[in-house]
Amino acid sequence: MNIRKKGQSLLLYLFLSVSAFFSIFPFFWIVIGSTNTAVQIQTGKLSFGNQLGRNLHKLFGQSNMGGALFNSAKIAVLTVVLSLLVTSMAAYGFQMYKSKARERTYSFFLLTMMIPFASLMIPLFQIIVVFRLLNSHMAIVLVASISVFMVFFFRQSFVNYQTEILQAARVDGAGEARIFFTIFFPSMKSTYAAGAIYSFMTSWNAYLWPLIVLQSNDKRTSTLLISSLSSSYTPDFGVIMTGIALATLPVIVVFFAFQKQFVQGMVGSVKQ
Amino acid sequence: MKKSLLLLLVCLVLVTPLFAGGASETKQAGPIKIWAWDPNFNISIMNEAISRYQAKHPEATFEVVELAKADVEQKLHTNLASRTKEGLPDIVLIEDYNVQKYLTSYPGQFADLSSAFNYNDFVGYKADVMKLDGKYYGVPFDSGVAGFFYRTDLLKKAGFTAQDLENITWDRFADIAKEYKAKTGQYLIANDKSDGGLFRIMLQSAGSWYFDNEGKPALVNNAALMEAMKLYKRFVAEDLALPSNGWNEWVGSFNSGKVASVITGVWIIGSIKAGVDQSGLWAVAPTPRLSLDKSVNASNLGGSSWFVLQNGANRDKAIAFMQEIYGNDKGFYQTILMNNGAIGSYMPAFSGDAFKALDPFFGNKAIFTDLSRWASMIPKVNVGQYTYEADAAVMAVMEDYYNGKTTLEQAVKSAENQLKNSIQ
Amino acid sequence: MANEKRLDRIGWYFITPACVLLLFFIVYPIFFSLYLSFTSTKGIVSQFVGVKNYLRMFGDPMFFLALENTFRLLLIQVPIMLLLSITFAAILNNKSIRFRGFFRTALFLPSVTSLIAYSILFKMLFSYDGLVNNTLIKLSIIDAPLQWMSEPRLATFVLVIAMIWRWTGYNMIFYLSAMQNISEDLYEAASIDGSSKVHSFFTITIPLLKPIILFTTVMSTIGTLQLFDEPMNLSQGGTTASMIGPDNCFLTLSVYIYNICFKYTPNFGYAATVSYAILIIIALLTFIQFRLSGDREEAMRKTLERKGGVR
């Protein structure tokens, strides 16, 4: 390799490293911040302190972070299950049972993605009240489970499926539901894993709709708790950082656990 | 057979949520629910009221929900707009600038308290805020009577005595700020150039507002408004105020001693006293006035009131509670004055001892005697329901006015244009 | 045939749960919102006013300010971010680069943060006494702290940087996945013909990536036009402040709608009108983007369905 190539290569690594550094630094800063006090954070301390215990105590004791984390987890899990079921079934229906009417329905589905949430807020709130779901976690789960993006994602992933297997099972006399659950679903594991991660992340980090529909503090999610901590009159940044660290941790864990499937799943959905 | 399995699944998916999740509270007599913001002030005061009430009525239960101010306002809107009868609080805190807005937008949703309280007992301008079509709807709470709070030691070092700061005009204040900065290199005051707080203090001191008495936008030819805008521009142009961004930075500026004064509502006292090492070094002077003849050295900023919801589950119990404490208990008002620096609007309490007490933090002066006297001098203005729209309209044109991109007349005209559009 | 009919019915069964949920939670609100946009609904006091709201919108200086702010963000943030995403993807697609897995993960990690969390983080980093100012002063790049969050241009810059930080890795994964589907043979053939790496990138990679570029452009446009969480949380004082961000630079269309509902005298009718304006803009831009790339919606899906990459 000549010098110019080596130089180019070095430049590339430098570019990548600097970018990676900027990407990761805030996480590092959060972790350090959660061990320090507000004052130390604001004066730019970049080393580990000894306040983690105190911050955790305030977070769980005064602010019930434990409850908030549980709420977030409960909502996220329910959303993932319901969402995967509903959207993958819809995508399966659109893709495997093609018909003109269904194509038009699908186009309609896609169009709804363009509506800003702000315009749905008030009528949505009213319908939740009609269903007597105000201040309930189900209000969040139900609304989140109809993610048209997931329907789109799943359908794209199903496009290259070898339908012969399904035909064969049909010939053998298996019913459609059985085919979906026992043959199709197990063979698309990485797609479902990718969908699960996306759905989990979206649900865990949701802000505006939970803000509007939840009324009491004991129903709060971790995202809402962090937001209220930071908008208080005297925010304690040490506690806030600890809260952010703890609230982000589950998502990171889920991501790392399913990383391989996630990337594989994404690859599957954009296959040309 | 397999088909029906699918059908069953579909039905389950649709039906379970209605059983599994529905957690909305049915209208039952539970604890009296109260929504409010600011744990150090409003909530702490309400908790004091609750404990006084429970001492005599041990069977009464309460639930105080603490939310950010913006959240209280937003939840009140979403609940009232959806006409839900469940999950409503019994008592809610509403900022005075927002009161008319809620009363006119949600008719019938707030309890008519005209016969529950004697509104002559409350400070005039506070009682007026909650009057609609001849009826009174809320319980006046804290007065936002404004004061010019300053550090005696820092100003003395720069050669200013208490005399120099009493009953001055804003122009004089600006001059002093300039001299102070020249002598000490520090700022006299902190201010966010895009925040309309000082603006409203200036306006109300002249009995003016963004609207005329009929509620029509009155920005053009509003002498008080134009003088206020000129003053803001002077602060920016001559760099007389430390730029601050948001509540924390603002409070931090005087807590840390970076600035020597703060001009705002009396509710700031709690935050001033948070600087424990500065005890004895503070004093209060009347707020500056505009150069206009009708302007006085008394004004108001903020202040809120409590409202009882007509459809709350415990409405009558809530009213009884408010009557006994907020409408009657003079001792309560002494306590909250001492602990939180809260000047209530219940005038019979003004003669109490706490109001005459000498406050060591403020150089052993009876500051509350002064403040409550100024409270009675505050010119009445009809704040109406569009104060936030007006505030946004005016502040939106300020940046260009600061930069000289527009003249004062142009700025006011375009602000009025915006305001007229916003209130359609 | 009876079997066809049966399959057709079953096809509908699979779609029904989604349709029901869509009906209640999306379709109903959309139509009710449309109705609202023709009314003046202040709180619960409602009155039919026809097109008056739409006329009002055309004379509303704050609406145009919000429109301008939103478009400014769109035109600055989206292109820079997508360019970066595709650059990283191209670099990380190169098998001779080592530690690709690490870099890929590092760049994607910002996407797992909640929008609230990272807004708060950036607000702290860029505050007057914050880490960024302190570091820049220590490195002698500036002498006095910059007013990141008090000056309109700087504040917008912070928002753009924050969004780039958050979303670049996310879009990068889409491009990377698509690039990994392109057959090696194409590149080999091209290099045999004497084409340089850069030349191949522009003549082979980009054209084959067109559908996914379209996809990310459309999604990013929709996301930025609806931007709410970040400007809301970056601004001091939220809705109680006189301005959203210095000189209202964080007043995006969605934030304006939120203000109309919860900060000012609540006119839900007018709020619905403004939200329909956003919808029309999104629809227009999406349509233009599809047209520019020479595809229509179905054609795009067909392109994605086509196997291989040789055309």
Side-chain angles (χ1 to χ4, degrees):
Chain A
M1 248 212 291
N2 57 20
I3 295 191
R4 187 199 292 178
K5 268 219 165 144
K6 273 218 168 104
Q8 267 177 2
S9 185
L10 199 65
L11 221 62
L12 270 177
Y13 277 107
L14 194 64
F15 178 58
L16 281 175
S17 305
V18 170
S19 306
F21 173 74
F22 281 124
S23 290
I24 306 186
F25 177 72
F27 292 94
F28 175 64
W29 192 51
I30 298 173
V31 171
I32 289 194
S34 51
T35 64
N36 287 321
T37 64
V39 180
Q40 287 171 326
I41 296 173
Q42 281 185 302
T43 49
K45 184 160 179 266
L46 282 179
S47 52
F48 286 100
N50 55 3
Q51 299 291 317
L52 183 58
R54 182 184 147 277
N55 285 335
L56 282 173
H57 180 73
K58 261 188 152 183
L59 195 58
F60 283 91
Q62 279 178 12
S63 305
N64 195 18
M65 179 64 157
L69 283 173
F70 175 74
N71 289 336
S72 286
K74 172 179 161 203
I75 294 175
V77 168
L78 285 174
T79 302
V80 168
V81 169
L82 189 61
S83 172
L84 286 185
L85 191 63
V86 167
T87 58
S88 70
M89 269 168 52
Y92 186 78
F94 284 126
Q95 182 62 20
M96 303 305 180
Y97 302 86
K98 294 209 187 107
S99 82
K100 256 214 180 109
R102 271 185 283 278
E103 287 305 310
R104 262 185 251 132
T105 311
Y106 183 64
S107 301
F108 182 70
F109 263 67
L110 292 185
L111 281 175
T112 64
M113 273 203 287
M114 295 193 277
I115 314 277
F117 178 72
S119 57
L120 306 180
M121 264 186 330
I122 299 294
L124 200 56
F125 187 85
Q126 286 175 331
I127 214 177
I128 289 291
V129 168
V130 164
F131 283 155
R132 326 198 70 203
L133 291 174
L134 185 64
N135 197 31
S136 74
H137 290 153
M138 276 321 281
I140 302 177
V141 172
L142 285 175
V143 172
S145 62
I146 182 59
S147 162
V148 177
F149 177 78
M150 290 272 277
V151 175
F152 180 52
F153 165 74
F154 273 120
R155 186 168 178 184
Q156 291 306 108
S157 317
F158 296 168
V159 158
N160 289 314
Y161 194 77
Q162 311 287 36
T163 49
E164 292 82 37
I165 305 173
L166 308 178
Q167 288 290 38
R170 241 174 240 144
V171 164
D172 278 350
E176 298 304 309
R178 167 104 76 91
I179 294 177
F180 178 76
F181 285 105
T182 59
I183 300 177
F184 180 77
F185 170 65
S187 65
M188 298 292 288
K189 283 227 179 76
S190 70
T191 307
Y192 276 88
I197 296 183
Y198 174 80
S199 180
F200 184 84
M201 263 169 48
T202 311
S203 165
W204 189 268
N205 292 332
Y207 175 62
L208 187 55
W209 177 239
L211 179 68
I212 291 180
V213 88
L214 295 177
Q215 311 287 328
S216 45
N217 283 345
D218 58 337
K219 291 250 155 68
R220 275 200 291 215
T221 61
S222 56
T223 307
L224 290 182
L225 177 62
I226 293 173
S227 175
S228 93
L229 281 177
S230 76
S231 55
S232 92
Y233 278 80
T234 44
D236 183 338
F237 290 110
V239 174
I240 294 175
M241 296 283 237
T242 313
I244 295 180
L246 281 179
T248 313
L249 204 59
V251 189
I252 296 185
V253 166
V254 165
F255 171 69
F256 275 113
F258 293 101
Q259 210 196 138
K260 213 165 59 147
Q261 283 102 318
F262 185 61
V263 179
Q264 263 179 27
M266 296 286 255
V267 172
S269 82
V270 303
K271 254 197 178 82
Q272 301 182 67
Chain B
M1 225 192 343
K2 318 300 190 282
K3 203 188 341 171
S4 48
L5 183 66
L6 194 57
L7 207 58
L8 185 64
L9 202 77
V10 165
C11 290
L12 276 175
V13 164
L14 296 177
V15 162
T16 346
L18 298 174
F19 292 131
S24 55
E25 298 121 66
T26 45
K27 200 167 173 175
Q28 51 184 333
I32 298 181
K33 239 195 313 184
I34 304 176
W35 287 1
W37 64 87
D38 194 355
N40 294 327
F41 192 75
N42 302 311
I43 296 202
S44 148
I45 292 172
M46 184 48 101
N47 282 332
E48 168 68 26
I50 290 175
S51 59
R52 293 180 88 98
Y53 190 74
Q54 283 176 325
K56 298 207 198 112
H57 304 262
E59 77 289 353
T61 52
F62 292 82
E63 186 194 334
V64 178
V65 181
E66 183 216 322
L67 300 159
K69 174 167 178 283
D71 291 343
V72 172
E73 290 165 2
Q74 172 244 307
K75 286 194 193 316
L76 198 54
H77 277 303
T78 48
N79 276 282
L80 293 177
S82 67
R83 301 173 199 253
T84 178
K85 295 243 165 65
E86 296 159 8
L88 287 175
D90 296 297
I91 302 175
V92 66
L93 185 65
I94 301 183
E95 189 187 33
D96 286 351
Y97 298 135
N98 285 326
V99 168
Q100 287 290 319
K101 179 164 81 181
Y102 282 100
L103 290 179
T104 51
S105 303
Y106 305 107
Q109 297 293 317
F110 296 96
D112 176 359
L113 302 177
S114 311
S115 43
F117 294 89
N118 178 5
Y119 282 86
N120 290 324
D121 281 342
F122 292 110
V123 174
Y125 81 95
K126 288 283 291 186
D128 275 356
V129 165
M130 54 198 64
K131 193 161 131 189
L132 185 67
D133 296 335
K135 304 206 190 103
Y136 290 96
Y137 286 93
V139 182
F141 177 38
D142 70 308
S143 164
V145 55
F148 170 14
F149 302 90
Y150 64 91
R151 287 278 297 273
T152 48
D153 58 329
L154 293 178
L155 281 177
K156 201 182 207 169
K157 251 199 269 174
F160 293 102
T161 66
Q163 225 82 319
D164 299 324
L165 308 170
E166 293 277 318
N167 292 318
I168 56 177
T169 62
W170 279 103
D171 283 326
R172 179 75 194 119
F173 177 83
D175 293 334
I176 293 178
K178 201 167 183 176
E179 279 175 52
Y180 181 82
K181 188 149 169 252
K183 284 199 190 137
T184 65
Q186 302 271 52
Y187 289 96
L188 178 59
I189 195 171
N191 190 40
D192 181 348
K193 63 179 174 166
S194 43
D195 178 83
L198 282 183
F199 222 88
R200 285 189 280 287
I201 292 180
M202 293 172 182
L203 282 178
Q204 191 153 6
S205 76
S208 282
W209 203 242
Y210 302 101
F211 304 95
D212 61 22
N213 287 328
E214 281 105 50
K216 291 221 217 46
L219 301 180
V220 174
N221 296 326
N222 182 333
L225 184 96
M226 296 206 281
E227 187 177 340
M229 283 174 73
K230 281 196 225 151
L231 281 163
Y232 260 65
K233 182 163 182 174
R234 185 175 168 196
F235 279 125
V236 172
E238 297 176 29
D239 194 26
L240 301 175
L242 175 68
S244 83
N245 193 15
W247 174 269
N248 295 315
E249 273 185 45
W250 184 57
V251 171
S253 70
F254 52 80
N255 274 151
S256 63
K258 259 196 236 162
V259 300
S261 73
V262 55
I263 299 181
T264 194
V266 66
W267 34 260
I268 200 65
I269 286 186
S271 304
I272 294 180
K273 287 192 175 175
V276 275
D277 50 328
Q278 297 168 2
S279 178
L281 302 176
W282 283 83
V284 196
T287 51
R289 65 177 188 280
L290 293 175
S291 311
L292 291 179
D293 285 338
K294 55 180 181 157
S295 180
V296 298
N297 290 90
S299 193
N300 176 75
L301 184 62
S304 334
S305 305
W306 300 103
F307 287 79
V308 176
L309 275 107
Q310 179 71 11
N311 294 318
N314 298 298
R315 183 188 67 222
D316 297 323
K317 286 199 204 149
I319 296 180
F321 159 64
M322 295 301 284
Q323 279 174 317
E324 190 167 316
I325 307 292
Y326 287 86
N328 205 13
D329 188 344
K330 291 191 225 160
F332 165 65
Y333 284 99
Q334 312 306 313
T335 310
I336 64 175
L337 181 66
M338 286 191 298
N339 294 347
N340 307 87
I343 295 187
S345 310
Y346 185 59
M347 294 195 293
F350 287 2
S351 52
D353 289 329
F355 282 83
K356 308 195 186 95
L358 305 176
D359 193 331
F361 199 96
F362 287 88
N364 275 321
K365 296 265 169 45
I367 58 166
F368 291 113
T369 320
D370 289 332
L371 284 162
S372 50
R373 188 181 69 241
W374 299 334
S376 58
M377 288 163 48
I378 299 175
K380 272 196 224 177
V381 293
N382 179 11
V383 296
Q385 61 175 152
Y386 295 112
T387 292
Y388 275 104
E389 284 89 325
D391 179 48
V394 170
M395 298 320 288
V397 301
M398 291 307 279
E399 189 71 27
D400 281 346
Y401 175 53
Y402 293 144
N403 296 334
K405 285 203 196 130
T406 59
T407 64
L408 182 60
E409 290 72 26
Q410 285 170 335
V412 172
K413 251 215 186 110
S414 90
E416 177 145 320
N417 193 23
Q418 167 72 64
L419 184 54
K420 284 206 177 115
N421 182 290
S422 312
I423 64 178
Q424 273 181 44
Chain C
M1 258 189 18
N3 199 38
E4 255 180 48
K5 277 225 177 94
R6 185 185 76 106
L7 286 180
D8 184 63
R9 233 180 325 135
I10 292 185
W12 284 115
Y13 287 155
F14 274 104
I15 300 175
T16 307
C19 280
V20 170
L21 286 173
L22 196 83
L23 207 73
F24 282 120
F25 298 122
I26 296 188
V27 177
Y28 162 72
I30 291 179
F31 284 107
F32 189 72
S33 214
L34 185 62
Y35 162 70
L36 269 184
S37 75
F38 293 108
T39 69
S40 165
T41 305
K42 295 197 181 174
I44 53 182
V45 180
S46 183
Q47 205 192 17
F48 188 77
V49 291
V51 292
K52 200 155 156 245
N53 281 340
Y54 287 90
L55 291 176
R56 169 180 168 184
M57 189 171 70
F58 286 118
D60 182 354
M62 203 154 267
F63 166 70
F64 286 105
L65 177 64
L67 194 65
E68 185 191 321
N69 286 336
T70 312
F71 263 86
R72 183 184 304 122
L73 283 173
L74 182 67
L75 293 174
I76 298 180
Q77 190 262 339
V78 172
I80 298 181
M81 175 193 67
L82 291 181
L83 268 169
L84 274 176
S85 299
I86 217 174
T87 309
F88 284 125
I91 297 176
L92 293 181
N93 193 34
N94 183 347
K95 294 224 166 57
S96 67
I97 304 278
R98 285 190 287 169
F99 308 117
R100 273 153 58 228
F102 166 73
F103 285 122
R104 192 184 61 213
T105 307
L107 290 170
F108 182 75
L109 214 52
S111 319
V112 310
T113 55
S114 77
L115 302 180
I116 305 302
Y118 94 93
S119 304
I120 296 174
L121 275 179
F122 272 81
K123 197 154 95 174
M124 286 175 63
L125 279 170
F126 282 90
S127 68
Y128 194 70
D129 302 323
L131 203 60
V132 171
N133 270 339
N134 291 341
T135 312
L136 289 178
I137 290 181
K138 272 208 198 116
L139 296 177
S140 301
I141 299 181
I142 53 176
D143 325 296
L146 287 174
Q147 307 248 9
W148 294 106
M149 303 310 290
S150 307
E151 285 303 316
R153 288 231 186 95
L154 291 178
T156 308
F157 178 75
V158 173
L159 178 58
V160 169
I161 292 285
M163 287 171 71
I164 290 179
W165 177 84
R166 173 72 169 59
W167 295 104
T168 302
Y170 178 79
N171 285 298
M172 175 191 79
I173 295 287
F174 283 112
Y175 291 137
L176 199 54
S177 311
M179 283 181 191
Q180 286 175 349
N181 276 334
I182 302 176
S183 163
E184 278 296 311
D185 306 332
L186 286 174
Y187 293 112
E188 271 184 39
S191 78
I192 290 176
D193 279 351
S195 165
S196 72
K197 269 223 175 106
V198 175
H199 191 247
S200 304
F201 182 74
F202 283 102
T203 50
I204 301 178
T205 319
I206 299 275
L208 287 176
L209 240 42
K210 236 170 42 159
I212 208 67
I213 292 180
L214 179 67
F215 173 71
T216 52
T217 318
V218 169
M219 297 306 292
S220 300
T221 303
I222 294 180
T224 308
L225 284 172
Q226 296 187 15
L227 198 64
F228 175 80
D229 300 48
E230 290 94 317
M232 227 11 225
N233 281 282
L234 274 177
S235 74
Q236 294 287 358
T239 47
T240 54
S242 310
M243 303 222 258
I244 308 294
D247 200 24
N248 274 324
C249 66
F250 291 147
L251 184 72
T252 59
L253 287 167
S254 292
V255 174
Y256 185 44
I257 292 177
Y258 184 89
N259 281 352
I260 297 174
C261 289
F262 302 120
K263 177 179 176 183
Y264 304 137
T265 297
N267 191 336
F268 299 119
Y270 186 57
T273 311
V274 177
S275 68
Y276 266 87
I278 303 182
L279 170 60
I280 294 173
I281 296 173
I282 290 182
L284 219 71
L285 284 180
T286 305
F287 181 70
I288 293 176
Q289 282 168 338
F290 271 100
R291 273 268 171 244
L292 277 181
S293 77
D295 289 296
R296 279 225 250 92
E297 210 175 277
E298 280 158 52
M300 171 186 164
R301 280 185 292 108
K302 290 215 179 79
T303 312
L304 292 171
E305 284 164 13
R306 259 181 251 138
K307 285 202 191 155
V310 188
R311 221 358 172 224

